[in-house]
């Protein structure tokens, strides 16, 4: 019986699988594949490194329960009061996960790992793991800085607004909207400067100078140019 074609297909399939695994080995994200029997069928070195487990042992194909037990003994899992329930929760995902699920794992060593669990096309589960500790710390510092800056801006008697190079409003303080006579609900972050300027036309006492200023202000914001101007409003106020 001539099985040349079948043999060629099997060789191509083997080469394809090996190439696929080689690509996964180069990723910085940890990759693990469990089959429908909850046995580990593939794991890259990054996955072993993130959990700080022996790669050769993981590559031998332990059950998920055995992996969780090894992590518990080494205090690598999030601290839980009922480990048995935690283990059942992790293993129930083999029947319950229909769409990718994203979860943050806060570990005793102060690291935070992001785990994405998705059903594998051939059955079982695909797990993707990455260390997001530094990113979360950076986001926290950034948010703290923004909160401090906003607290300072909100206390100023001067109106302050910042626009991006696309001409859209990114941040402003309450004084800014109050001086212009706008309710804050009328505009928000993302409002274009022309949309902000147009309602002001009715408040300007000398409407002959308004068109030129409107155009100059829009250009100054988008081109990052300095512009000083004095507006005389119909209600008697003067704004610099």
């Amino acid at each position: 019986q001539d099985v040349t074609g079948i043999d060629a297909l099997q060789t191509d399939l083997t080469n394809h699988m090996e190439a696929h695994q080689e690509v996964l080995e180069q990723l910085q994200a940890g990759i693990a594949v469990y089959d429908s029997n909850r046995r580990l069928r593939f794991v890259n070195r990054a996955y072993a490194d993130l959990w700080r487990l022996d790669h050769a042992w993981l590559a031998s194909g332990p059950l998920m329960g055995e992996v969780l037990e090894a992590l518990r003994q080494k205090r690598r899992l999030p601290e839980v009061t009922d480990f048995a329930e935690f283990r059942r929760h992790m293993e129930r995902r083999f029947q319950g996960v229909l769409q990718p699920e994203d979860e943050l794992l806060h570990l005793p060593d102060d690291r935070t790992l992001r785990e994405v669990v998705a059903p594998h096309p051939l059955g079982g589960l695909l797990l993707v793991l990455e260390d997001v500790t530094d990113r979360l710390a950076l986001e926290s510092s950034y948010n703290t800085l923004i909160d401090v800056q906003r607290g300072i801006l909100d206390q100023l008697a001067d109106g302050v607004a910042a626009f991006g190079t696309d001409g859209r409003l990114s941040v402003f303080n309450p004084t800014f909207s109050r001086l212009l006579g706008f309710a804050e609900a009328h505009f928000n972050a993302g409002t274009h400067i022309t949309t902000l300027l147009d309602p002001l036309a009715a408040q300007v006492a000398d409407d002959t100078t308004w068109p030129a200023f409107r155009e100059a202000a829009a250009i100054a914001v988008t081109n990052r140019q300095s512009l000083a101007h004095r507006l005389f409003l119909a209600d008697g106020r003067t704004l610099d």
Side-chain angles (χ1 to χ4, degrees):
Q1 187 176 20
D2 188 350
V3 294
T4 306
I6 296 177
D7 184 65
L9 288 174
Q10 290 177 336
T11 301
D12 288 343
L13 178 60
T14 300
N15 292 337
H16 178 74
M17 292 176 63
E18 291 177 350
H20 181 63
Q21 292 184 1
E22 181 64 26
V23 171
L24 295 181
E25 282 290 354
Q26 304 303 317
L27 296 179
Q28 292 184 349
I31 306 292
V33 177
Y34 286 88
D35 63 18
S36 56
N37 295 320
R38 305 178 185 176
R39 188 170 295 278
L40 190 58
R41 290 303 182 189
F42 172 80
V43 60
N44 66 354
R45 192 165 297 278
Y47 190 87
D49 292 342
L50 285 170
W51 279 128
R52 299 175 182 172
L53 293 175
D54 181 62
H55 182 262
W57 177 73
L58 289 175
S60 67
L63 294 169
M64 174 176 277
E66 296 172 336
V67 175
L68 292 175
E69 182 62 31
L71 290 171
R72 183 185 72 86
Q73 293 178 3
K74 297 177 182 295
R75 294 194 70 236
R76 305 279 166 74
L77 288 176
E79 299 286 2
V80 294
T81 55
D82 189 346
F83 174 73
E85 176 57 31
F86 175 79
R87 176 173 168 172
R88 286 191 292 269
H89 163 71
M90 301 295 277
E91 293 181 333
R92 277 197 296 266
R93 297 181 299 181
F94 282 91
Q95 288 80 35
V97 174
L98 301 179
Q99 298 292 333
E101 295 182 355
D102 198 323
E103 184 177 7
L104 291 179
L105 305 175
H106 303 284
L107 308 187
D109 60 3
D110 294 329
R111 290 185 302 150
T112 300
L113 302 182
R114 175 175 176 261
E115 184 181 58
V116 178
V117 181
H120 195 275
L122 300 180
L125 291 177
L126 168 67
L127 277 63
V128 181
L129 199 68
E130 63 173 324
D131 190 339
V132 295
T133 308
D134 292 340
R135 188 177 75 192
L136 291 179
L138 183 62
E139 289 177 356
S140 177
S141 298
Y142 173 78
N143 291 335
T144 300
L145 178 62
I146 292 299
D147 290 341
V148 170
Q149 290 180 340
R150 178 168 290 281
I152 295 173
L153 288 178
D154 288 350
Q155 301 305 316
L156 294 179
D158 296 329
V160 178
F163 295 84
T165 53
D166 58 356
R168 297 190 178 277
L169 185 66
S170 58
V171 65
F172 63 94
N173 65 354
T175 306
F176 180 77
S177 56
R178 186 170 64 253
L179 287 175
L180 297 183
F182 293 159
E184 290 188 31
H186 291 169
F187 63 96
N188 49 38
T191 301
H192 196 271
I193 185 169
T194 54
T195 304
L196 194 64
L197 290 173
D198 286 342
L200 276 175
Q203 302 185 46
V204 177
D206 184 3
D207 56 5
T208 59
T209 63
W210 176 253
F213 167 72
R214 180 188 180 280
E215 181 179 357
I219 294 175
V221 167
T222 54
N223 290 348
R224 296 171 57 83
Q225 297 174 352
S226 297
L227 174 67
H229 189 76
R230 176 162 292 180
L231 283 177
F232 298 96
L233 303 185
D235 60 7
R237 291 184 300 144
T238 301
L239 298 182
D240 279 338

